[in-house]
Amino acid sequence: MKERVLVAHISDIHLTSGYFSRELGENVVEEVNRVKPDLLVVTGDLTDNGHPHEYREAKAFLDRFKVERVLVVLGNHDSRNAGYMLFEELFGSRYPSVEVGPLRVVGVDSTEPDLDDGHIGRLAYRIVEDELKGFSGVKAVALHHHLVPIPGTGRERNIPSDSGDFLKLLSDLNVHLVLCGHKHVPWFWKLNEILIINAGTATTLRLKAHTPPSFNLITVNRNRVVAERVNSETLERQPICSMRIEA
Ligand SMILES: [Fe+2]
Ligand SMILES: [Fe+2]
């Protein structure tokens, strides 16, 4: 088994809104393919309004990543216009699970159709518990909505209405890592030994103030998680966080 894995974490690509940038899209595809990650995690808002033609473009875009394992979760924009039905047809389960090396990631649908606010719900709690309770490696969860407010976004809303209960579950299960998106501002929090990493928007110009478009590269082994942020425009890398873990 591989001891150390590299995860590319991209979010909020928003095809085919007027904000999507082909140039940024090319940069991200080329850079991710160049670094050859073991896993690609996409934390939602693949589309802008959940329309069929947007889903087709998002699928074609994600198919260009030459990564063996891909885990995709729904964003609030993808749930619009009954888009959650198309998601299942094109990407499979709304609660996917992937294991690579010492890492297992469980994806969670945190969306409510027609609402920007998130809600996780007790069905998801059971799925996360079943997938992670007895697992002895590095435990991770991926979802679209941020569980803790992100500074510098200009608004504090859209946190899942049951964030507190879900964070307690993650803490009880000794989850090591949470990956999310939604606010288009990259950030991280360390909370009860959980490293929560929020990705910015990888490919759009839906930006806040001085925050550039970006994605994350995260290296995981049994003792440590290390994350870097890659500027989608310049491909400059910046270390963002590192946390010692015990798995
Ligand atoms: Fe978004
Ligand atoms: Fe979103």
Side-chain angles (χ1 to χ4, degrees):
M1 184 174 80
K2 220 173 168 178
E3 289 297 309
R4 185 161 69 160
V5 292
L6 178 64
V7 180
H9 172 204
I10 70 171
S11 200
D12 294 82
I13 54 180
H14 284 275
L15 280 147
T16 56
S17 75
Y19 298 102
F20 178 83
S21 157
R22 297 270 157 211
E23 196 185 326
L24 295 176
E26 291 306 309
N27 278 358
V28 174
V29 170
E30 278 175 28
E31 185 62 7
V32 168
N33 287 342
R34 191 185 71 76
V35 301
K36 298 186 172 61
D38 301 286
L39 170 67
L40 173 67
V41 174
V42 188
T43 46
D45 280 0
L46 321 170
T47 69
D48 211 41
N49 276 301
H51 293 304
H53 74 281
E54 296 182 323
Y55 264 103
R56 281 194 295 274
E57 287 214 33
K59 173 81 172 118
F61 178 73
L62 292 178
D63 282 347
R64 294 185 54 207
F65 289 92
K66 296 188 181 77
V67 185
E68 199 179 316
R69 294 176 187 82
V70 180
L71 182 140
V72 187
V73 293
L74 270 162
N76 57 309
H77 283 253
D78 306 318
S79 266
R80 292 178 181 174
N81 298 303
Y84 53 89
M85 295 182 193
L86 299 174
F87 181 93
E88 288 182 320
E89 287 164 30
L90 289 169
F91 299 103
S93 172
R94 293 184 290 122
Y95 300 90
S97 173
V98 170
E99 196 171 323
V100 53
L103 174 70
R104 183 180 287 176
V105 188
V106 183
V108 167
D109 175 6
S110 58
T111 71
E112 287 280 301
D114 209 28
L115 284 180
D116 285 340
D117 292 336
H119 180 74
I120 293 152
R122 303 210 170 255
L123 167 69
Y125 295 15
R126 176 68 64 83
I127 293 169
V128 170
E129 194 171 348
D130 286 350
E131 289 285 342
L132 296 181
K133 195 166 189 179
F135 183 64
S136 61
V138 182
K139 302 171 191 175
V141 168
L143 75 165
H144 180 60
H145 290 85
H146 50 299
L147 294 172
V148 183
I150 308 291
T153 61
R155 55 157 60 172
E156 298 282 350
R157 286 175 286 159
N158 301 161
I159 295 160
S161 52
D162 53 346
S163 282
D165 285 345
F166 192 59
L167 281 166
K168 180 173 185 304
L169 174 76
L170 301 183
S171 181
D172 290 347
L173 292 170
N174 296 315
V175 166
H176 303 97
L177 179 65
V178 174
L179 303 178
C180 40
H182 184 53
K183 291 273 68 158
H184 299 197
V185 172
W187 192 255
F188 75 92
W189 294 113
K190 292 175 183 172
L191 191 73
N192 282 23
E193 315 293 322
I194 309 168
L195 179 58
I196 304 173
I197 301 179
N198 208 76
T201 171
T203 58
T204 83
L205 305 176
R206 289 175 83 124
L207 300 167
K208 322 268 183 190
H210 302 299
T211 305
S214 67
F215 61 98
N216 299 325
L217 292 175
I218 303 165
T219 306
V220 178
N221 64 41
R222 284 182 181 274
N223 308 112
R224 190 166 284 283
V225 177
V226 179
E228 289 179 299
R229 185 176 304 145
V230 184
N231 182 315
S232 305
E233 211 163 4
T234 62
L235 298 182
E236 241 173 283
R237 287 197 197 188
Q238 187 189 353
I240 47 172
C241 55
S242 167
M243 192 167 95
R244 198 180 149 67
I245 59 171
E246 273 174 47

